[in-house]
């Protein structure tokens, strides 16, 4: 199988172990998921998660992932370091870092992350949030391709239900909430990696709330995974329902809280991020 | 001033620099904030934050703090390592660790954290969540002291408005939401440290939702700070309004999302945590 036979997402998150360094991997940024000044942050989160998921010492599956975007990732090679800091009976704590070589060849940290994985057992369970009562995805039009130079939105089929990307930048915004149906544009069965990436799919709430295109970028994102491999397999390449809103915009930073539901109403992931904005 | 003249919280978060090691501090657990099998997680979060806040290279004030509880902290001495991983023009990214010596004297990681601090400028700002319309704190009775062996709740004045600690464990729960007025029991002006601690003040939502006392403990908490020193000074030792709920309970882990408001309706912090539970 050639490289181009892979799904673009699998190419973007591909890592190669570095010989003799058990916690170290090499990867390469993907133009398919390029954002304005670096890769789509969701893919960077997935790449870091990948470092733990393919680690031979991995225990269980992801519960909580926090990714901190410390500096822009530039096009080219990078390294992922994945360190299992503490392994308990049923949980495991990871430190993850993405680094890139500077002009002198020294690796510099661009992104840090922490991850908790766990062996999960069946317990009493309950969804304590109502599943949004929306018409099916087929009732809504797919978003048209995004701005020039921004590739990643083309990798997703997004069908906004409410809070679509502003078409008039006239300061008329009234809400920070968006609901949309989404899935990979090219069929790919959902897994923890793509779920981590999709948690970052919501454009900055400040653009919606203000209908004003100020500079903005995610500083830190935390995603909680409420699912397992069996449920992910059931979802397959079906639609997810994404729902996101802000709570507080204050002096250069706002938060953004999101839910990702399966089409049948399973709350697969909840995610929060803090986003820088200007002016 | 003797040590006992300090507020119990200041004693609990006190750190001493380790000579010759610029990123390293020593501290000691506090019985005043003891929980069932270790310190109150909020105080552990504050201790880690303290490592950065008193670091000579600190830039700005806290924006985002994630703390991962990897292992129980035992009574006694600990070390906090605070590493400024990346300093940009207006943001700074930190890795923080709390370690304790094992039987052989080797430091073992009990808690990991990441922190983003920033120089904040005045910008367009907006609270995009309604301030809960509640009667003042004086209309509600303070909670009575908690179970034996658990000291930390005595350090807070908590006046539940709704979702009070269950008094009957009969499986009758109907909601995961709690609202309460809170402040330090002994007057202390609010700062980033106490705000970080108070973000973890909400007892496990699974106890409320199920009215069943299953074992539960925070695995990871993320707090976003939407405030600054001037606003904190205005709040002083006044009440905060805490509001917390769960979204998803699933196979051993649930999430808990919270807001901390000032009495005058400023949203000071939003916080999320993922909590382990049994059965």
């Amino acid at each position: 199988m050639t490289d181009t036979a892979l799904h673009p997402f699998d190419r973007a998150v591909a890592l190669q172990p570095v010989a003799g360094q058990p916690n170290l991997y090499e990867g390469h940024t993907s133009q398919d998921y390029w954002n304005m000044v670096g890769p789509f942050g969701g893919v960077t989160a997935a790449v870091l998660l990948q470092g733990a998921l393919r680690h031979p010492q991995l225990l269980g599956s992801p519960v909580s992932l926090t990714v901190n975007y410390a500096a822009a990732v530039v096009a080219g090679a990078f390294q992922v370091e994945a360190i299992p800091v503490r392994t308990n009976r049923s949980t495991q704590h990871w430190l993850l870092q993405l680094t890139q070589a500077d002009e002198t060849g020294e690796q510099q940290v661009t992104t840090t992350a922490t991850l908790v994985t766990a062996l999960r057992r069946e317990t009493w369970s309950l969804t304590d949030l109502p599943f949004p009562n929306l018409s099916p995805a087929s009732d809504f039009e797919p978003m048209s391709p995004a701005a020039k130079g921004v590739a990643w939105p083309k990798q997703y089929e997004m069908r906004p239900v409410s809070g679509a990307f502003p078409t008039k930048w006239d300061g008329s915004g009234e809400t920070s909430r968006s609901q949309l149906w989404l899935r990979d544009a090219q069929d790919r069965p959902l897994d923890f990696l793509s779920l981590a990436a999709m948690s970052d799919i919501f454009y900055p709430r400040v653009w919606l709330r203000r209908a004003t295109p100020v500079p903005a970028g995610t500083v830190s994102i935390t995603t909680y995974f409420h699912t397992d491999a069996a449920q992910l397999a059931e979802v397959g390449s079906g639609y997810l329902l994404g729902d996101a809103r802000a709570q507080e915009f204050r002096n250069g930073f706002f938060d953004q809280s999101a839910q990702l539901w399966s089409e049948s109403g399973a709350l697969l992931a909840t995610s929060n991020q803090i986003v820088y904005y200007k002016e």
Side-chain angles (χ1 to χ4, degrees), chain A:
Chain A
M1 191 167 67
T2 63
D3 202 40
T4 51
L6 284 174
H7 190 283
F9 186 78
D10 290 305
R11 285 203 302 271
V13 300
L15 292 178
Q16 299 304 325
V18 176
Q21 306 222 47
N23 297 331
L24 204 60
Y25 302 86
E26 287 176 335
H28 197 283
T29 59
S30 162
Q31 286 304 311
D32 296 331
Y33 289 86
W34 203 250
N35 198 358
M36 282 172 288
V37 288
F40 165 47
V43 156
T44 302
V47 160
L48 283 157
L49 179 58
Q50 174 80 304
L53 294 196
R54 56 170 298 168
H55 197 289
Q57 287 169 44
L58 174 69
L59 181 77
S61 62
V63 169
S64 171
L65 173 68
T66 294
V67 177
N68 306 290
Y69 302 92
V73 174
V74 299
F78 57 75
Q79 292 193 338
V80 169
E81 189 181 30
I83 305 170
V85 178
R86 180 112 193 184
T87 302
N88 301 314
R89 208 170 36 175
S90 64
T91 60
Q92 190 172 47
H93 286 255
W94 295 81
L95 281 180
L96 309 166
Q97 288 200 146
L98 196 149
T99 60
Q100 288 190 302
D102 63 16
E103 321 78 62
T104 71
E106 205 184 326
Q107 293 289 323
Q108 301 291 343
V109 176
T110 66
T111 327
T112 67
T114 58
L115 169 71
V116 183
T117 59
L119 292 172
R120 303 184 72 156
R121 289 178 193 82
E122 210 166 300
T123 66
W124 172 88
S125 293
L126 177 87
T127 302
D128 207 24
L129 208 60
F131 179 50
N133 185 20
L134 302 179
S135 303
S138 55
D139 284 7
F140 303 94
E141 291 301 314
M143 257 176 80
S144 47
K148 273 182 268 178
V150 179
W152 73 266
K154 300 186 192 84
Q155 302 301 335
Y156 294 102
E157 181 188 330
M158 299 191 247
R159 295 175 179 255
V161 176
S162 66
F165 199 88
T167 50
K168 277 189 272 184
W169 299 109
D170 60 358
S172 67
E174 288 181 346
T175 176
S176 68
R177 187 175 185 186
S178 290
Q179 296 180 308
L180 76 161
W181 291 107
L182 66 122
R183 60 179 180 181
D184 282 305
Q186 183 178 325
D187 272 10
R188 183 179 179 280
L190 189 68
D191 58 14
F192 285 105
L193 297 171
S194 57
L195 191 55
M198 288 173 184
S199 297
D200 190 35
I201 208 169
F202 308 93
Y203 67 89
R205 303 293 88 198
V206 68
W207 296 351
L208 179 60
R209 187 63 184 82
R210 296 176 70 183
T212 307
V214 297
T218 303
V219 172
S220 181
I221 183 171
T222 292
T223 298
Y224 300 145
F225 300 92
H226 306 291
T227 188
D228 57 24
Q231 190 177 49
L232 291 169
E234 272 175 46
V235 173
S237 56
Y239 287 103
L240 301 191
L241 172 57
D243 197 334
R245 63 165 302 167
Q247 298 181 106
E248 179 77 10
F249 301 89
R250 187 65 46 187
N251 292 343
F253 295 89
F254 69 89
D255 73 325
Q256 184 163 318
S257 107
Q259 295 92 33
L260 288 173
W261 302 83
S262 77
E263 210 172 353
S264 62
L267 186 48
L268 304 174
T270 52
S271 185
N272 287 273
Q273 59 178 269
I274 185 101
V275 183
Y276 162 81
Y277 68 99
K278 213 170 165 178
E279 296 163 21

